[in-house]
Amino acid sequence: MKKNLHYAFVGINGAGKTTLTKLLTGMYDNYEGEIRINGRNIRDYELSELKALFAVVYQDFAKYSITIRDNIALGDVNHLDEERIGRAVSLAGLKDTIHMLPQGMDTYLGKIKEGGLDLSGGEWQRLAIARALYNPAEVRILDEPTAALDPLAESNIYEMFGRISRGISTIFITHRLGAAKLADNIIVINDGALAEQGNHEELMKMGGIYAEMFESQRSWYQCEA
Amino acid sequence: MRSINKGNEKDEIRINAYQLFTKLAPSVFGAAPFALIIAALISILQSVFWVLETMAQHKFFDAATSLTTGKIAFRIVIFYLCILALANIGCQVLNGVINYIFNVLIEKITGKLSLNIHQKIARLSPIDFENTKKLDDINKAINGKNNAVLFTLLVASIFTFYIPYFFFMGWYLFSLKPILVQSIILVFIPTAATQLIRSRIFTKMEDKSGPVRRECEYYENCMVSREYFKETRLLGGFYFFKKQFIDTLKLLQNLRFRATMKTNLIELTMRIVTVCGYYGILYMLFEALMNREITVGAFAAVFNSIGSLYGIMEEIICRNLGSMAQNLGTVQNYLKLLEMPEREGVHYDIPKNFDIVLDKVSFSYPGSSKEAIKNVSFTIHHGETLAVVGENGSGKSTMIRLITGLCTPTKGSVSFGGIDTKKLSMKSLFSKTSAVFQKYQRYQMKLCENIGISNVERNIDKDLLDDACIKSGLNQEDSSFTNGYETMLSREFDGVDLSGGQWQRIAIARGFYRDHELIILDEPTAAIDPYEETRIYNKFAEISKDKTAIIVTHRLGSVKLADRIIVMKEGRIAQIGTHEELIQTEGEYSKLYEAQEQWYREVLV
């Protein structure tokens, strides 16, 4: 994988997409073979170095019952920079939502504090993305980030993604292939192995697993008429 | 869905110890009536023996003095010595027996009170769990349960041991010299006064510390629980939460420290008064002896038992009543839970083919003034497949809660086969419904149990399991299930960890496994790939032909199979109709559809 490119991992459930990211971030180290980052084996990295390289938005990202500001600031706990937080918020499209809250960024979320606010699924998702944006890591990984979103919000996030992923390595894990189209390079994983690789057009021409999946999804949206 | 939890209404009702006891007594007595009666009798006997011991000392000392002057025979002294020894042994044996019985009683009664709590929680309306204040009350009640047990046993032992003991002792002292009875009062007053004040302080503290404790536990979870661990670790958020944890812990300690400090100061003052009382008694005894009103034996025996008199008084008031006073607040919390309003309703057999009618339904979450559902009316016919779509926060999930009867409307009514969901008991309401929600549980149990849990009244049935798995596309012969249906789904218990998609399929299989006339899938397919999703929905349409089915989804491609589609917007029904009808009308549905469809629109190959 090259720097500053936008990658997408696609594949059916259980194909190994999430496992791959766990290997990258050093969560598992009982694998065979070699993973190199900048030519250096990741086993040689300190765990803290490795952690600093990646910002991950997990499928089941954590919804911390703390203030909105702290939720975002967790992305980079050692440096509190209001300006960067503000930028992350507007990039993630949360600015208006937060603006409407009487306590703004200091609003407590969840049910732990009295008066705590519960966000909707989409708002939480954006908050998790804002957290990843605030993280100064070089590689951002988004694991199925739009699963719980409505079509409009999903579409917005894809567009936002196109915007924010410029100039930074991004790995986008998805099985909604519409989103994969945005990627510079799509990696199709099947049965734990790399099955196909290329951009959208190349893969469609290849007529393999990717093309088949894309057709299946597209067929939902074709009018029977 | 969004709800603001205010819930700070002060509805504290202070009830006194007498009321607490009379409310607790029936269930405590019911837990172990026989053992309690035995314990009461032994307690009374024990108090008698304590006084007998003092009296035996009195007789023995007198006899021993008489022996030195040669007035009585040696064997009479030995006789009194034997009586003293018997009284002493009797005290010790009874003490052992009563301790044993109390330990058994505590177990039994705790069991009974736990059962009460669980049954009560089961009868609460599901909407109560949306409210911070109510969650707090439940947490406090569970904390208060053990203290409730100790409280009732203590009250019982006051009546069966302490009061009889002081009564017999007082009677004995009175028989020696009436004025000596005052000594009991001298011992009693200062110690009792301390406790009264202490009780006040700690009840106040418990009310304040409840929310802080919950917060503290939450931060701990952020660091160590399975739910948060992965992300907190990768973010390096450990130190952040550790700080929060320590800060709240300090706050909690501070609250406790201040309360303890206050009571200790009061106690110190009272102790000084107590010591004065002690010398008062001593003086009275000495004077009586000098005036030859009591014998040397009586002086020695009473002098000897002033120690145990103080000891017992301190035991009951400082240790027992004292710690009880601290915990009286928590016992109240236990009763407060039992008195929470319940979701009422009667059992009613819902007919097999029932329509669900929503009539002018509005709903707002407790503590929120905003209506999540506004004046919605429609009928779901039996056997129909209905899809609910709409943006996040448009009220889809709330609507599902109202349709299933999990929540009851604030205004208007929802009825099952003509019966209002408000009037139905939860058991009969849910008997015909199966639902798979966005947030399903991942039980750390075996695969077969994870599916079979939706129908616990029946033993796990292999054929039904197979059927549910086929319908949900779960292949238990897959390599990730190392032991078929017996595979343990938890790393912690030496089993396997599954992918999000597989968990979702298990949740769906769980939904199919349950007997149902109405089945609801509330966005359970988000983590399932499109191949599978199409297959599951087609299968779903096929098997739910003669059942009422409701699907909530964001993937508009899969709602085509529904007989009718309801489009929600801001708590209202924006559109209703079939896919063909809706797509041809300019509106909310076509807007959502286009947004999703554009990503696939590009002309290919």
Side-chain angles (χ1 to χ4, degrees), chain A residues 13 27 62-65 115 123 131 149-150 155 181 200 212 217-218 220-221, chain B residues 2 5 218 228 230-232 392 527 529-531 554 560 593 596 598-600:
Chain A
N13 286 123
M27 294 273 257
K63 298 174 177 175
Y64 294 110
S65 298
E123 287 163 337
R131 178 152 71 217
L149 298 185
D150 67 60
S155 189
K181 256 169 38 178
H200 179 71
E212 199 184 330
Q217 282 181 39
R218 200 165 63 108
W220 296 346
Y221 299 100
Chain B
R2 158 185 298 191
N5 311 297
Y218 175 74
Y228 292 112
K230 176 176 64 175
E231 192 147 348
T232 302
N392 291 113
D529 61 70
Y531 257 173
H554 285 318
K560 278 188 238 167
Y593 191 81
Q596 207 161 51
Q598 59 172 333
W599 297 95
Y600 299 97

mmCIF file of all heavy atoms in Angstrom, chain A residues 13 27 62-65 115 123 131 149-150 155 181 200 212 217-218 220-221, chain B residues 2 5 218 228 230-232 392 527 529-531 554 560 593 596 598-600:
data_model
loop_
_atom_site.group_PDB
_atom_site.id
_atom_site.type_symbol
_atom_site.label_atom_id
_atom_site.label_comp_id
_atom_site.label_asym_id
_atom_site.label_seq_id
_atom_site.Cartn_x
_atom_site.Cartn_y
_atom_site.Cartn_z
ATOM 1 N N ASN A 13 -19.025 -11.302 4.559
ATOM 2 C CA ASN A 13 -18.826 -11.470 6.003
ATOM 3 C C ASN A 13 -17.896 -12.634 6.286
ATOM 4 O O ASN A 13 -17.989 -13.678 5.667
ATOM 5 C CB ASN A 13 -20.167 -11.784 6.683
ATOM 6 C CG ASN A 13 -21.026 -10.563 6.772
ATOM 7 O OD1 ASN A 13 -22.128 -10.563 6.292
ATOM 8 N ND2 ASN A 13 -20.504 -9.520 7.355
ATOM 9 N N MET A 27 -2.951 -5.566 17.132
ATOM 10 C CA MET A 27 -3.811 -6.155 18.164
ATOM 11 C C MET A 27 -3.531 -7.645 18.294
ATOM 12 O O MET A 27 -3.615 -8.215 19.365
ATOM 13 C CB MET A 27 -5.276 -5.966 17.807
ATOM 14 C CG MET A 27 -5.714 -4.545 17.819
ATOM 15 S SD MET A 27 -6.220 -4.080 19.444
ATOM 16 C CE MET A 27 -7.951 -4.122 19.234
ATOM 17 N N ALA A 62 -16.679 2.822 20.349
ATOM 18 C CA ALA A 62 -17.109 3.056 21.725
ATOM 19 C C ALA A 62 -17.900 4.356 21.822
ATOM 20 O O ALA A 62 -17.542 5.368 21.229
ATOM 21 C CB ALA A 62 -15.894 3.119 22.640
ATOM 22 N N LYS A 63 -18.999 4.286 22.558
ATOM 23 C CA LYS A 63 -19.803 5.485 22.799
ATOM 24 C C LYS A 63 -19.568 5.888 24.237
ATOM 25 O O LYS A 63 -20.218 5.402 25.141
ATOM 26 C CB LYS A 63 -21.281 5.169 22.568
ATOM 27 C CG LYS A 63 -21.570 4.736 21.143
ATOM 28 C CD LYS A 63 -23.018 4.288 21.005
ATOM 29 C CE LYS A 63 -23.306 3.939 19.561
ATOM 30 N NZ LYS A 63 -24.651 3.396 19.392
ATOM 31 N N TYR A 64 -18.596 6.757 24.436
ATOM 32 C CA TYR A 64 -18.246 7.132 25.794
ATOM 33 C C TYR A 64 -19.237 8.141 26.365
ATOM 34 O O TYR A 64 -19.569 9.128 25.719
ATOM 35 C CB TYR A 64 -16.861 7.775 25.822
ATOM 36 C CG TYR A 64 -15.739 6.844 25.453
ATOM 37 C CD1 TYR A 64 -15.050 6.972 24.260
ATOM 38 C CD2 TYR A 64 -15.368 5.827 26.327
ATOM 39 C CE1 TYR A 64 -14.005 6.120 23.938
ATOM 40 C CE2 TYR A 64 -14.333 4.969 26.016
ATOM 41 C CZ TYR A 64 -13.647 5.127 24.828
ATOM 42 O OH TYR A 64 -12.628 4.283 24.519
ATOM 43 N N SER A 65 -19.682 7.858 27.583
ATOM 44 C CA SER A 65 -20.602 8.787 28.241
ATOM 45 C C SER A 65 -19.831 9.904 28.936
ATOM 46 O O SER A 65 -19.777 9.966 30.158
ATOM 47 C CB SER A 65 -21.470 8.053 29.253
ATOM 48 O OG SER A 65 -22.245 7.099 28.601
ATOM 49 N N GLY A 115 -29.054 14.643 33.167
ATOM 50 C CA GLY A 115 -29.132 15.640 32.111
ATOM 51 C C GLY A 115 -28.330 15.243 30.889
ATOM 52 O O GLY A 115 -28.213 16.010 29.951
ATOM 53 N N GLU A 123 -25.487 10.427 14.567
ATOM 54 C CA GLU A 123 -24.698 11.453 15.266
ATOM 55 C C GLU A 123 -23.512 10.829 15.997
ATOM 56 O O GLU A 123 -22.416 11.369 15.987
ATOM 57 C CB GLU A 123 -25.584 12.231 16.236
ATOM 58 C CG GLU A 123 -26.531 13.169 15.526
ATOM 59 C CD GLU A 123 -27.680 13.653 16.404
ATOM 60 O OE1 GLU A 123 -28.010 12.971 17.385
ATOM 61 O OE2 GLU A 123 -28.241 14.691 16.089
ATOM 62 N N ARG A 131 -13.612 11.987 16.050
ATOM 63 C CA ARG A 131 -12.538 11.545 16.934
ATOM 64 C C ARG A 131 -11.348 11.056 16.101
ATOM 65 O O ARG A 131 -10.203 11.375 16.384
ATOM 66 C CB ARG A 131 -13.056 10.434 17.839
ATOM 67 C CG ARG A 131 -12.041 9.856 18.767
ATOM 68 C CD ARG A 131 -12.713 9.319 20.017
ATOM 69 N NE ARG A 131 -13.481 8.117 19.732
ATOM 70 C CZ ARG A 131 -14.643 7.814 20.298
ATOM 71 N NH1 ARG A 131 -15.189 8.625 21.151
ATOM 72 N NH2 ARG A 131 -15.271 6.709 20.003
ATOM 73 N N LEU A 149 -26.542 4.015 9.299
ATOM 74 C CA LEU A 149 -27.030 5.327 8.874
ATOM 75 C C LEU A 149 -28.134 5.247 7.821
ATOM 76 O O LEU A 149 -28.212 4.302 7.054
ATOM 77 C CB LEU A 149 -25.859 6.133 8.308
ATOM 78 C CG LEU A 149 -24.751 6.421 9.298
ATOM 79 C CD1 LEU A 149 -23.721 7.318 8.663
ATOM 80 C CD2 LEU A 149 -25.309 7.078 10.551
ATOM 81 N N ASP A 150 -28.942 6.271 7.802
ATOM 82 C CA ASP A 150 -29.981 6.326 6.787
ATOM 83 C C ASP A 150 -29.345 6.746 5.463
ATOM 84 O O ASP A 150 -28.224 7.248 5.430
ATOM 85 C CB ASP A 150 -31.115 7.257 7.221
ATOM 86 C CG ASP A 150 -30.677 8.701 7.286
ATOM 87 O OD1 ASP A 150 -30.258 9.248 6.248
ATOM 88 O OD2 ASP A 150 -30.750 9.277 8.372
ATOM 89 N N SER A 155 -24.928 8.827 2.348
ATOM 90 C CA SER A 155 -24.446 9.514 1.172
ATOM 91 C C SER A 155 -23.573 10.708 1.551
ATOM 92 O O SER A 155 -22.515 10.932 0.973
ATOM 93 C CB SER A 155 -25.658 9.955 0.362
ATOM 94 O OG SER A 155 -25.272 10.430 -0.875
ATOM 95 N N LYS A 181 -16.343 2.563 -4.571
ATOM 96 C CA LYS A 181 -16.010 3.222 -5.832
ATOM 97 C C LYS A 181 -15.092 4.429 -5.650
ATOM 98 O O LYS A 181 -14.310 4.783 -6.509
ATOM 99 C CB LYS A 181 -17.305 3.709 -6.491
ATOM 100 C CG LYS A 181 -17.729 2.861 -7.630
ATOM 101 C CD LYS A 181 -19.123 3.179 -8.108
ATOM 102 C CE LYS A 181 -19.510 4.636 -8.107
ATOM 103 N NZ LYS A 181 -20.870 4.818 -8.631
ATOM 104 N N HIS A 200 -12.193 0.710 -9.322
ATOM 105 C CA HIS A 200 -13.537 0.268 -9.647
ATOM 106 C C HIS A 200 -13.678 -0.213 -11.086
ATOM 107 O O HIS A 200 -14.168 -1.316 -11.339
ATOM 108 C CB HIS A 200 -14.509 1.421 -9.348
ATOM 109 C CG HIS A 200 -15.932 1.104 -9.662
ATOM 110 N ND1 HIS A 200 -16.665 0.228 -8.905
ATOM 111 C CD2 HIS A 200 -16.734 1.536 -10.661
ATOM 112 C CE1 HIS A 200 -17.880 0.130 -9.422
ATOM 113 N NE2 HIS A 200 -17.949 0.913 -10.481
ATOM 114 N N GLU A 212 -19.586 -9.161 -9.514
ATOM 115 C CA GLU A 212 -20.797 -9.911 -9.161
ATOM 116 C C GLU A 212 -21.511 -9.278 -7.970
ATOM 117 O O GLU A 212 -22.721 -9.087 -7.980
ATOM 118 C CB GLU A 212 -20.380 -11.340 -8.826
ATOM 119 C CG GLU A 212 -21.516 -12.334 -8.891
ATOM 120 C CD GLU A 212 -21.034 -13.713 -8.440
ATOM 121 O OE1 GLU A 212 -19.817 -13.998 -8.648
ATOM 122 O OE2 GLU A 212 -21.832 -14.450 -7.882
ATOM 123 N N GLN A 217 -25.894 -5.729 -5.740
ATOM 124 C CA GLN A 217 -26.370 -4.580 -4.973
ATOM 125 C C GLN A 217 -27.098 -3.583 -5.858
ATOM 126 O O GLN A 217 -28.075 -2.979 -5.456
ATOM 127 C CB GLN A 217 -25.200 -3.882 -4.294
ATOM 128 C CG GLN A 217 -24.779 -4.621 -3.075
ATOM 129 C CD GLN A 217 -23.640 -3.927 -2.369
ATOM 130 O OE1 GLN A 217 -23.573 -2.720 -2.270
ATOM 131 N NE2 GLN A 217 -22.732 -4.725 -1.873
ATOM 132 N N ARG A 218 -26.574 -3.476 -7.064
ATOM 133 C CA ARG A 218 -27.172 -2.494 -7.951
ATOM 134 C C ARG A 218 -28.594 -2.904 -8.317
ATOM 135 O O ARG A 218 -29.479 -2.069 -8.488
ATOM 136 C CB ARG A 218 -26.325 -2.344 -9.201
ATOM 137 C CG ARG A 218 -26.580 -1.053 -9.937
ATOM 138 C CD ARG A 218 -25.483 -0.808 -10.926
ATOM 139 N NE ARG A 218 -25.490 -1.867 -11.914
ATOM 140 C CZ ARG A 218 -25.894 -1.673 -13.172
ATOM 141 N NH1 ARG A 218 -26.308 -0.503 -13.552
ATOM 142 N NH2 ARG A 218 -25.864 -2.664 -14.023
ATOM 143 N N TRP A 220 -30.862 -3.974 -6.637
ATOM 144 C CA TRP A 220 -31.900 -3.470 -5.732
ATOM 145 C C TRP A 220 -32.499 -2.176 -6.241
ATOM 146 O O TRP A 220 -33.609 -1.835 -5.943
ATOM 147 C CB TRP A 220 -31.316 -3.124 -4.373
ATOM 148 C CG TRP A 220 -30.748 -4.235 -3.607
ATOM 149 C CD1 TRP A 220 -30.907 -5.557 -3.833
ATOM 150 C CD2 TRP A 220 -29.927 -4.090 -2.467
ATOM 151 N NE1 TRP A 220 -30.234 -6.260 -2.909
ATOM 152 C CE2 TRP A 220 -29.622 -5.386 -2.050
ATOM 153 C CE3 TRP A 220 -29.431 -3.007 -1.760
ATOM 154 C CZ2 TRP A 220 -28.829 -5.613 -0.943
ATOM 155 C CZ3 TRP A 220 -28.660 -3.237 -0.670
ATOM 156 C CH2 TRP A 220 -28.356 -4.535 -0.261
ATOM 157 N N TYR A 221 -31.665 -1.434 -6.900
ATOM 158 C CA TYR A 221 -32.087 -0.078 -7.230
ATOM 159 C C TYR A 221 -32.593 0.037 -8.663
ATOM 160 O O TYR A 221 -32.866 1.101 -9.126
ATOM 161 C CB TYR A 221 -30.936 0.908 -6.985
ATOM 162 C CG TYR A 221 -30.539 0.882 -5.554
ATOM 163 C CD1 TYR A 221 -29.443 0.161 -5.145
ATOM 164 C CD2 TYR A 221 -31.315 1.518 -4.600
ATOM 165 C CE1 TYR A 221 -29.099 0.096 -3.809
ATOM 166 C CE2 TYR A 221 -30.982 1.458 -3.271
ATOM 167 C CZ TYR A 221 -29.871 0.752 -2.872
ATOM 168 O OH TYR A 221 -29.546 0.688 -1.565
ATOM 169 N N ARG B 2 -33.750 10.617 20.375
ATOM 170 C CA ARG B 2 -32.937 11.412 21.279
ATOM 171 C C ARG B 2 -33.795 11.733 22.492
ATOM 172 O O ARG B 2 -34.944 12.064 22.403
ATOM 173 C CB ARG B 2 -32.535 12.687 20.538
ATOM 174 C CG ARG B 2 -32.170 13.822 21.430
ATOM 175 C CD ARG B 2 -31.908 15.031 20.616
ATOM 176 N NE ARG B 2 -30.783 14.798 19.709
ATOM 177 C CZ ARG B 2 -30.215 15.797 19.040
ATOM 178 N NH1 ARG B 2 -30.650 17.015 19.153
ATOM 179 N NH2 ARG B 2 -29.214 15.554 18.244
ATOM 180 N N ASN B 5 -32.457 13.363 29.705
ATOM 181 C CA ASN B 5 -32.867 12.866 31.012
ATOM 182 C C ASN B 5 -32.763 13.975 32.031
ATOM 183 O O ASN B 5 -31.677 14.368 32.385
ATOM 184 C CB ASN B 5 -31.962 11.728 31.442
ATOM 185 C CG ASN B 5 -31.815 10.719 30.338
ATOM 186 O OD1 ASN B 5 -32.784 10.095 29.938
ATOM 187 N ND2 ASN B 5 -30.601 10.595 29.810
ATOM 188 N N TYR B 218 -18.624 3.640 35.972
ATOM 189 C CA TYR B 218 -18.618 3.766 34.525
ATOM 190 C C TYR B 218 -17.202 4.002 33.995
ATOM 191 O O TYR B 218 -16.774 3.383 33.032
ATOM 192 C CB TYR B 218 -19.550 4.893 34.079
ATOM 193 C CG TYR B 218 -19.475 5.117 32.593
ATOM 194 C CD1 TYR B 218 -20.074 4.212 31.725
ATOM 195 C CD2 TYR B 218 -18.765 6.172 32.049
ATOM 196 C CE1 TYR B 218 -19.975 4.361 30.354
ATOM 197 C CE2 TYR B 218 -18.661 6.340 30.693
ATOM 198 C CZ TYR B 218 -19.276 5.435 29.849
ATOM 199 O OH TYR B 218 -19.159 5.577 28.496
ATOM 200 N N TYR B 228 -15.403 -1.414 25.883
ATOM 201 C CA TYR B 228 -14.589 -0.235 25.626
ATOM 202 C C TYR B 228 -13.095 -0.516 25.484
ATOM 203 O O TYR B 228 -12.353 0.299 24.972
ATOM 204 C CB TYR B 228 -14.750 0.772 26.775
ATOM 205 C CG TYR B 228 -16.113 1.385 26.865
ATOM 206 C CD1 TYR B 228 -16.953 1.100 27.916
ATOM 207 C CD2 TYR B 228 -16.547 2.270 25.880
ATOM 208 C CE1 TYR B 228 -18.211 1.679 28.002
ATOM 209 C CE2 TYR B 228 -17.795 2.850 25.968
ATOM 210 C CZ TYR B 228 -18.620 2.552 27.031
ATOM 211 O OH TYR B 228 -19.843 3.133 27.108
ATOM 212 N N LYS B 230 -10.911 -2.275 23.769
ATOM 213 C CA LYS B 230 -10.177 -2.223 22.517
ATOM 214 C C LYS B 230 -9.890 -0.779 22.100
ATOM 215 O O LYS B 230 -8.750 -0.410 21.817
ATOM 216 C CB LYS B 230 -11.018 -2.941 21.452
ATOM 217 C CG LYS B 230 -10.465 -2.922 20.066
ATOM 218 C CD LYS B 230 -11.363 -3.748 19.132
ATOM 219 C CE LYS B 230 -12.749 -3.148 19.003
ATOM 220 N NZ LYS B 230 -13.594 -3.862 18.031
ATOM 221 N N GLU B 231 -10.961 0.011 22.102
ATOM 222 C CA GLU B 231 -10.811 1.370 21.603
ATOM 223 C C GLU B 231 -10.038 2.259 22.576
ATOM 224 O O GLU B 231 -9.197 3.047 22.167
ATOM 225 C CB GLU B 231 -12.194 1.963 21.329
ATOM 226 C CG GLU B 231 -12.100 3.250 20.539
ATOM 227 C CD GLU B 231 -13.276 3.433 19.616
ATOM 228 O OE1 GLU B 231 -14.031 2.462 19.419
ATOM 229 O OE2 GLU B 231 -13.429 4.539 19.097
ATOM 230 N N THR B 232 -10.330 2.120 23.854
ATOM 231 C CA THR B 232 -9.630 2.936 24.842
ATOM 232 C C THR B 232 -8.134 2.677 24.750
ATOM 233 O O THR B 232 -7.313 3.582 24.833
ATOM 234 C CB THR B 232 -10.132 2.602 26.258
ATOM 235 O OG1 THR B 232 -11.533 2.830 26.299
ATOM 236 C CG2 THR B 232 -9.451 3.461 27.302
ATOM 237 N N ASN B 392 -32.423 8.834 10.101
ATOM 238 C CA ASN B 392 -32.107 8.614 11.511
ATOM 239 C C ASN B 392 -32.838 9.666 12.327
ATOM 240 O O ASN B 392 -32.857 10.825 11.954
ATOM 241 C CB ASN B 392 -30.607 8.759 11.761
ATOM 242 C CG ASN B 392 -29.820 7.631 11.134
ATOM 243 O OD1 ASN B 392 -29.065 7.837 10.204
ATOM 244 N ND2 ASN B 392 -30.017 6.439 11.622
ATOM 245 N N ALA B 527 -24.562 -5.163 9.395
ATOM 246 C CA ALA B 527 -23.211 -5.715 9.268
ATOM 247 C C ALA B 527 -23.168 -6.949 8.368
ATOM 248 O O ALA B 527 -22.197 -7.677 8.345
ATOM 249 C CB ALA B 527 -22.653 -6.048 10.649
ATOM 250 N N ASP B 529 -23.297 -8.698 4.602
ATOM 251 C CA ASP B 529 -23.003 -8.240 3.253
ATOM 252 C C ASP B 529 -24.238 -8.367 2.355
ATOM 253 O O ASP B 529 -25.154 -9.124 2.638
ATOM 254 C CB ASP B 529 -21.793 -8.971 2.690
ATOM 255 C CG ASP B 529 -22.027 -10.441 2.604
ATOM 256 O OD1 ASP B 529 -22.840 -10.861 1.769
ATOM 257 O OD2 ASP B 529 -21.430 -11.169 3.414
ATOM 258 N N PRO B 530 -24.250 -7.613 1.273
ATOM 259 C CA PRO B 530 -25.430 -7.496 0.435
ATOM 260 C C PRO B 530 -25.937 -8.835 -0.124
ATOM 261 O O PRO B 530 -27.142 -9.057 -0.190
ATOM 262 C CB PRO B 530 -24.988 -6.595 -0.710
ATOM 263 C CG PRO B 530 -23.609 -6.182 -0.434
ATOM 264 C CD PRO B 530 -23.179 -6.713 0.851
ATOM 265 N N TYR B 531 -25.028 -9.696 -0.519
ATOM 266 C CA TYR B 531 -25.402 -11.029 -0.989
ATOM 267 C C TYR B 531 -26.376 -11.679 -0.047
ATOM 268 O O TYR B 531 -27.459 -12.099 -0.386
ATOM 269 C CB TYR B 531 -24.148 -11.927 -0.925
ATOM 270 C CG TYR B 531 -23.484 -12.185 -2.242
ATOM 271 C CD1 TYR B 531 -22.268 -12.865 -2.266
ATOM 272 C CD2 TYR B 531 -24.056 -11.789 -3.434
ATOM 273 C CE1 TYR B 531 -21.605 -13.117 -3.432
ATOM 274 C CE2 TYR B 531 -23.392 -12.049 -4.617
ATOM 275 C CZ TYR B 531 -22.175 -12.710 -4.616
ATOM 276 O OH TYR B 531 -21.526 -12.962 -5.773
ATOM 277 N N HIS B 554 -32.506 0.753 6.342
ATOM 278 C CA HIS B 554 -32.019 1.904 5.597
ATOM 279 C C HIS B 554 -31.771 1.552 4.154
ATOM 280 O O HIS B 554 -31.571 2.422 3.330
ATOM 281 C CB HIS B 554 -30.697 2.382 6.193
ATOM 282 C CG HIS B 554 -30.881 3.107 7.471
ATOM 283 N ND1 HIS B 554 -31.889 4.005 7.641
ATOM 284 C CD2 HIS B 554 -30.210 3.068 8.627
ATOM 285 C CE1 HIS B 554 -31.821 4.492 8.855
ATOM 286 N NE2 HIS B 554 -30.821 3.929 9.483
ATOM 287 N N LYS B 560 -38.585 -3.358 -1.201
ATOM 288 C CA LYS B 560 -39.517 -3.591 -2.308
ATOM 289 C C LYS B 560 -40.451 -4.751 -2.048
ATOM 290 O O LYS B 560 -41.574 -4.769 -2.516
ATOM 291 C CB LYS B 560 -38.714 -3.873 -3.581
ATOM 292 C CG LYS B 560 -38.244 -2.619 -4.255
ATOM 293 C CD LYS B 560 -37.649 -2.969 -5.584
ATOM 294 C CE LYS B 560 -36.229 -2.504 -5.672
ATOM 295 N NZ LYS B 560 -35.519 -3.053 -6.797
ATOM 296 N N TYR B 593 -34.369 7.319 -1.781
ATOM 297 C CA TYR B 593 -34.027 6.286 -2.746
ATOM 298 C C TYR B 593 -32.931 6.763 -3.693
ATOM 299 O O TYR B 593 -31.963 6.068 -3.945
ATOM 300 C CB TYR B 593 -35.279 5.897 -3.519
ATOM 301 C CG TYR B 593 -35.103 4.654 -4.357
ATOM 302 C CD1 TYR B 593 -35.210 3.394 -3.764
ATOM 303 C CD2 TYR B 593 -34.834 4.730 -5.711
ATOM 304 C CE1 TYR B 593 -35.049 2.247 -4.513
ATOM 305 C CE2 TYR B 593 -34.675 3.588 -6.476
ATOM 306 C CZ TYR B 593 -34.774 2.345 -5.869
ATOM 307 O OH TYR B 593 -34.618 1.215 -6.609
ATOM 308 N N GLN B 596 -29.409 6.879 -2.269
ATOM 309 C CA GLN B 596 -28.701 5.619 -2.165
ATOM 310 C C GLN B 596 -28.381 5.050 -3.545
ATOM 311 O O GLN B 596 -27.339 4.462 -3.768
ATOM 312 C CB GLN B 596 -29.558 4.624 -1.374
ATOM 313 C CG GLN B 596 -28.745 3.599 -0.671
ATOM 314 C CD GLN B 596 -29.539 2.951 0.436
ATOM 315 O OE1 GLN B 596 -30.659 2.485 0.230
ATOM 316 N NE2 GLN B 596 -28.986 2.927 1.628
ATOM 317 N N GLN B 598 -27.772 6.561 -6.320
ATOM 318 C CA GLN B 598 -26.786 7.250 -7.176
ATOM 319 C C GLN B 598 -25.419 6.569 -7.188
ATOM 320 O O GLN B 598 -24.703 6.626 -8.162
ATOM 321 C CB GLN B 598 -26.632 8.698 -6.728
ATOM 322 C CG GLN B 598 -26.172 8.796 -5.294
ATOM 323 C CD GLN B 598 -25.816 10.197 -4.883
ATOM 324 O OE1 GLN B 598 -25.437 11.007 -5.693
ATOM 325 N NE2 GLN B 598 -25.952 10.481 -3.605
ATOM 326 N N TRP B 599 -25.106 5.905 -6.103
ATOM 327 C CA TRP B 599 -23.790 5.276 -6.001
ATOM 328 C C TRP B 599 -23.685 4.069 -6.928
ATOM 329 O O TRP B 599 -22.617 3.540 -7.157
ATOM 330 C CB TRP B 599 -23.491 4.884 -4.569
ATOM 331 C CG TRP B 599 -23.436 6.085 -3.701
ATOM 332 C CD1 TRP B 599 -24.451 6.605 -2.950
ATOM 333 C CD2 TRP B 599 -22.337 6.966 -3.539
ATOM 334 N NE1 TRP B 599 -24.050 7.745 -2.331
ATOM 335 C CE2 TRP B 599 -22.744 7.998 -2.660
ATOM 336 C CE3 TRP B 599 -21.030 7.002 -4.047
ATOM 337 C CZ2 TRP B 599 -21.905 9.037 -2.279
ATOM 338 C CZ3 TRP B 599 -20.197 8.031 -3.660
ATOM 339 C CH2 TRP B 599 -20.640 9.041 -2.786
ATOM 340 N N TYR B 600 -24.792 3.622 -7.413
ATOM 341 C CA TYR B 600 -24.781 2.442 -8.272
ATOM 342 C C TYR B 600 -25.202 2.786 -9.704
ATOM 343 O O TYR B 600 -25.333 1.922 -10.539
ATOM 344 C CB TYR B 600 -25.725 1.379 -7.705
ATOM 345 C CG TYR B 600 -25.308 0.938 -6.333
ATOM 346 C CD1 TYR B 600 -25.891 1.480 -5.200
ATOM 347 C CD2 TYR B 600 -24.288 0.006 -6.176
ATOM 348 C CE1 TYR B 600 -25.480 1.091 -3.938
ATOM 349 C CE2 TYR B 600 -23.869 -0.385 -4.916
ATOM 350 C CZ TYR B 600 -24.473 0.158 -3.797
ATOM 351 O OH TYR B 600 -24.067 -0.220 -2.552
#
